[in-house]
Amino acid sequence: MKIIFLGAPGAGKGTQADRLSARLGIPTISTGAIIRSAVKDGTKMGLEAKKFIEAGALVPDTIVIGIVKERLSQSDCDKGYILDGFPRSVPQAQALDEMGISLDKVISLEVSDDDIIARMSGRRVCSGCGKTFHIVHLPSAKGDVCDACDTKLTIRADDAPEVVRSRLEVYHSTTEPLKDYYREKGMLCTVTGEGSVDEITKRTLEALGI
């Protein structure tokens, strides 16, 4: 199957995509990860992306699309894949169509803005070992220090409520129109992204008819 996961930052796309990947035996392709990999491997598109990253600029759509195209041509994608974080806009979706990519389903994880802000602002990260906690859903047994290495837990800058609100505004204006784009193509499945991880996985599998 060829599947796209849509959803606001913090909606749980990565978690569900990884679970589905394990269930179906197909790779999860995260835009951020493949850009970093392309830069590290020195591919043609990776070298182009590196110029923008080093300049502190956003990587242009043309280069992102080129990197995605490089990744989808690899043999582990022959039986399908899950796209997480791409496309982010209607022009990117149109570019996928122009590449001749045929999709099976587009899953949109629906979570309210208030819940997203609560989820992300409650996240804590160990500055020592990198372990992630949540003050409500996955607290450290030692309070504000990591229960694995005793290092103080911190809030990532992009998890601050005002930053999360800004990211949500960008999502609603730029990425959310993709729902209508794929709805018109008869591919969109909406899944409630609230509740336990297992409950969300069950809904996702039902939406895919698995």
Side-chain angles (χ1 to χ4, degrees), residues 87-110:
R88 290 182 183 272
S89 64
V90 170
Q92 286 186 349
Q94 292 168 335
L96 263 186
D97 293 342
E98 290 164 8
M99 284 163 56
I101 302 297
S102 59
L103 300 163
D104 294 300
K105 292 288 184 181
V106 177
I107 299 292
S108 178
L109 283 180
E110 303 291 326

Side-chain angles (χ1 to χ4, degrees), residues 24 34 115 145-146 174 204:
L24 300 179
I34 64 171
D115 279 352
V145 297
C146 177
T174 304
T204 301

Side-chain angles (χ1 to χ4, degrees), residues 39 45-64:
V39 170
M45 287 295 170
L47 292 173
E48 289 296 316
K50 186 177 181 180
K51 297 175 186 176
F52 290 90
I53 293 168
E54 289 180 343
L58 289 174
V59 179
D61 274 3
T62 52
I63 295 175
V64 174

Side-chain angles (χ1 to χ4, degrees), residues 46-171:
L47 292 173
E48 289 296 316
K50 186 177 181 180
K51 297 175 186 176
F52 290 90
I53 293 168
E54 289 180 343
L58 289 174
V59 179
D61 274 3
T62 52
I63 295 175
V64 174
I65 290 162
I67 289 174
V68 170
K69 189 174 183 179
E70 284 179 342
R71 180 65 184 86
L72 295 184
S73 69
Q74 295 178 17
S75 60
D76 65 336
C77 293
D78 290 347
K79 294 182 180 180
Y81 44 79
I82 301 163
L83 291 174
D84 172 15
F86 185 88
R88 290 182 183 272
S89 64
V90 170
Q92 286 186 349
Q94 292 168 335
L96 263 186
D97 293 342
E98 290 164 8
M99 284 163 56
I101 302 297
S102 59
L103 300 163
D104 294 300
K105 292 288 184 181
V106 177
I107 299 292
S108 178
L109 283 180
E110 303 291 326
V111 183
S112 72
D113 284 4
D114 286 345
D115 279 352
I116 291 281
I117 292 167
R119 282 184 188 183
M120 298 183 75
S121 62
R123 188 159 53 186
R124 300 290 185 270
V125 180
C126 174
S127 55
C129 68
K131 188 174 179 181
T132 301
F133 300 88
H134 192 281
I135 58 175
V136 175
H137 306 296
L138 188 64
S140 168
K142 297 182 178 180
D144 61 355
V145 297
C146 177
D147 57 18
C149 69
D150 290 330
T151 304
K152 187 172 178 59
L153 301 179
T154 61
I155 302 174
R156 292 192 331 188
D158 58 357
D159 284 343
E162 62 275 12
V163 177
V164 175
R165 288 190 187 95
S166 177
R167 293 174 67 192
L168 287 170
E169 287 174 9
V170 172
Y171 170 76

Side-chain angles (χ1 to χ4, degrees), residues 181-199:
Y181 182 82
Y182 286 116
R183 185 180 288 112
E184 290 172 5
K185 291 176 176 290
M187 296 179 184
L188 187 74
C189 298
T190 57
V191 173
T192 300
E194 298 175 6
S196 72
V197 172
D198 286 343
E199 288 170 343

